[in-house]
Amino acid sequence: MAFNPKRLILARKRRRMTGKGLAEAAGLSPITVSRVENGENEPDEATVDRFAKALAYPATFFYLDDPDELDTTAVSFRSLSKMSSKERDAAINAGRLGLQLSDWLEGQFSLPDANLVDLSYETDPEAAARTLRAYWSLGEKPIGNMLGLLEVQGVRVFSLSEATSSVDAFSFWRDERPFVFLNNYKTAEHSIFDAAHELCHLVMHRHAGSQLSRTAEREANQFASAFLMPENDVRSRMPRFITVDLIIRAKARWRVSAMAMAYRLHSLNLLSEWQYKSACIELGRRGYRSGEPNGIERETSAVWRKILAHLWSEKVTKHEIAGLLHLPPDELEGLIWGLAGPVVRPDRDDSRAGLRLI
């Protein structure tokens, strides 16, 4: 098969390299790299090996078919203003690799179909959150595993291994399948809120694309807050006088950050403006602005745990999966990092995770 320059560009952007940087790492001229990427030159085997070594990608990766295009106008990014172009390109191309992995999984396993409702007509995030909760028959109870809920409802969840606070999460639809990529570099509570935030984009802003306004981002935050902390449940359990210690205890019930808990209480007028600002100052003093002291355990994916356990039972390792996909092991690990948890021997019945072998 012929060398595929689109694959070279993908790998370069995943490694956050410029064309000049790749040329230097590969010991080639910038003109050579440019001509190869533009499809003007067909590289010889020695040149491909230089690319492979510089990018730590298997040479076979560059001879595959065109990678899936991600319609960047259909990707919802958070914190876009804080991201560099390299960070954005790296995240987008992680999404493209995620689609490659997803296609492989769909060929091996029968995963749940998407069970989301189109709420693009809804203008009130609180109402949208209540509608989706009712559609999924969740009632008013706290959500015990947000990641697992998304998977059961057919959302394909992957990880981002960007190790940066600039990239929160992103989501998009591909055909009729919804995808969410979470940055597990953040705290477990932050990732849960990110998942609910992206869920809003999937159901309320599917047709808005990347032109999401600040209003849409506020809507997603309001949706996530209402979805994770239902008004009736919060009102019924919080006393009239709310202290910072009570906020810290309460956040564990709804599995959110202390700051998110305080914000929700303020939005429900259970904290006055003065009380809210005072609580935020005190929470920041205790370390809750930059992290979650004594935070909850990170959620794991039942689907990925079942998949890896099944493959392990057939003596197929993650390294071998990477080989089948012609990916570097670190890229495969990055797509599932923090999701699978410890892999155990598989149960006889995988249906509890919404997973069936084809």
Side-chain angles (χ1 to χ4, degrees):
M1 295 182 66
F3 181 87
N4 191 333
K6 292 182 179 179
R7 291 271 170 178
L8 177 62
I9 296 171
L10 188 159
R12 173 173 65 76
K13 289 184 175 180
R14 276 300 299 146
R15 298 311 192 195
R16 302 190 186 189
M17 285 186 181
T18 61
K20 181 180 179 181
L22 174 57
E24 292 175 352
L28 300 167
S29 71
I31 294 177
T32 297
V33 173
S34 177
R35 287 182 175 277
V36 171
E37 289 195 346
N38 289 325
E40 298 171 4
N41 283 0
E42 177 78 16
D44 57 25
E45 185 177 338
T47 301
V48 175
D49 286 342
R50 285 174 178 257
F51 287 141
K53 184 176 181 180
L55 295 167
Y57 265 70
T60 53
F61 176 83
F62 304 111
Y63 292 93
L64 300 177
D65 292 336
D66 288 354
D68 283 301
E69 291 294 337
L70 219 61
D71 181 3
T72 54
T73 65
V75 175
S76 69
F77 267 113
R78 295 184 64 193
S79 303
L80 187 59
S81 62
K82 294 189 292 184
M83 296 170 59
S84 68
S85 59
K86 285 185 179 180
E87 287 174 332
R88 185 178 187 277
D89 286 345
I92 283 286
N93 284 288
R96 299 173 80 187
L97 293 181
L99 291 180
Q100 182 178 332
L101 175 56
S102 181
D103 287 343
W104 180 80
L105 287 175
E106 301 284 351
Q108 305 295 317
F109 302 93
S110 177
L111 301 175
D113 292 329
N115 183 36
L116 277 64
V117 60
D118 186 351
L119 297 174
S120 56
Y121 65 87
E122 184 59 74
T123 58
D124 181 359
E126 292 263 350
R130 289 194 297 268
T131 298
L132 187 58
R133 272 184 158 266
Y135 181 72
W136 285 345
S137 302
L138 297 177
E140 299 284 339
K141 64 183 180 181
I143 296 170
N145 188 322
M146 184 66 194
L147 194 158
L149 175 64
L150 291 183
E151 290 181 323
V152 167
Q153 303 301 338
V155 180
R156 306 311 191 241
V157 182
F158 292 92
S159 181
L160 287 169
S161 58
E162 303 311 291
T164 173
S165 60
S166 299
V167 182
D168 276 311
F170 66 91
S171 56
F172 57 87
W173 284 86
R174 181 218 199 187
D175 300 326
E176 293 304 310
R177 291 193 177 93
F179 288 80
V180 168
F181 285 73
L182 298 174
N183 186 351
N184 286 319
Y185 178 71
K186 304 293 185 69
T187 66
E189 290 87 349
H190 195 125
S191 289
I192 290 171
F193 197 90
D194 279 351
H197 179 108
E198 295 307 319
L199 177 60
C200 175
H201 287 319
L202 291 173
V203 297
M204 286 190 71
H205 306 138
R206 179 175 180 179
H207 310 294
S210 63
Q211 308 306 316
L212 291 174
S213 63
R214 290 185 178 180
T215 298
E217 287 300 298
R218 285 197 297 271
E219 288 178 351
N221 282 333
Q222 292 167 2
F223 174 97
S225 184
F227 190 80
L228 295 171
M229 295 167 278
E231 178 177 354
N232 291 339
D233 192 36
V234 174
R235 288 190 182 279
S236 68
R237 292 180 177 275
M238 299 304 291
R240 186 169 184 178
F241 182 69
I242 300 173
T243 65
V244 168
D245 287 336
L246 185 60
I247 291 172
I248 292 172
R249 290 198 299 271
K251 83 182 191 72
R253 171 179 171 78
W254 289 284
R255 299 172 59 77
V256 296
S257 69
M259 289 295 185
M261 188 76 246
Y263 178 84
R264 181 59 169 161
L265 294 171
H266 176 51
S267 70
L268 294 176
N269 296 316
L270 296 175
L271 287 179
S272 68
E273 185 70 22
W274 180 85
Q275 288 173 318
Y276 173 62
K277 288 182 178 179
S278 298
C280 287
I281 292 172
E282 177 60 19
L283 287 171
R285 190 186 69 79
R286 298 191 192 187
Y288 284 95
R289 186 172 294 281
S290 57
E292 291 299 316
N294 301 313
I296 63 174
E297 187 176 345
R298 185 170 298 280
E299 293 182 346
T300 57
S301 160
V303 167
W304 272 110
R305 194 165 59 251
K306 292 288 185 179
I307 287 172
L308 293 177
H310 173 80
L311 293 172
W312 176 84
S313 73
E314 296 191 343
K315 296 182 170 53
V316 177
T317 66
K318 284 188 285 186
H319 195 278
E320 289 171 313
I321 297 172
L324 291 170
L325 296 171
H326 304 279
L327 289 176
D330 71 293
E331 290 285 27
L332 174 64
E333 192 66 45
L335 289 169
I336 63 176
W337 182 79
L339 295 178
V343 177
V344 297
R345 289 183 179 274
D347 295 329
R348 292 182 179 274
D349 179 14
D350 290 330
S351 61
R352 288 178 295 171
L355 170 68
R356 290 183 293 107
L357 295 176
I358 290 179

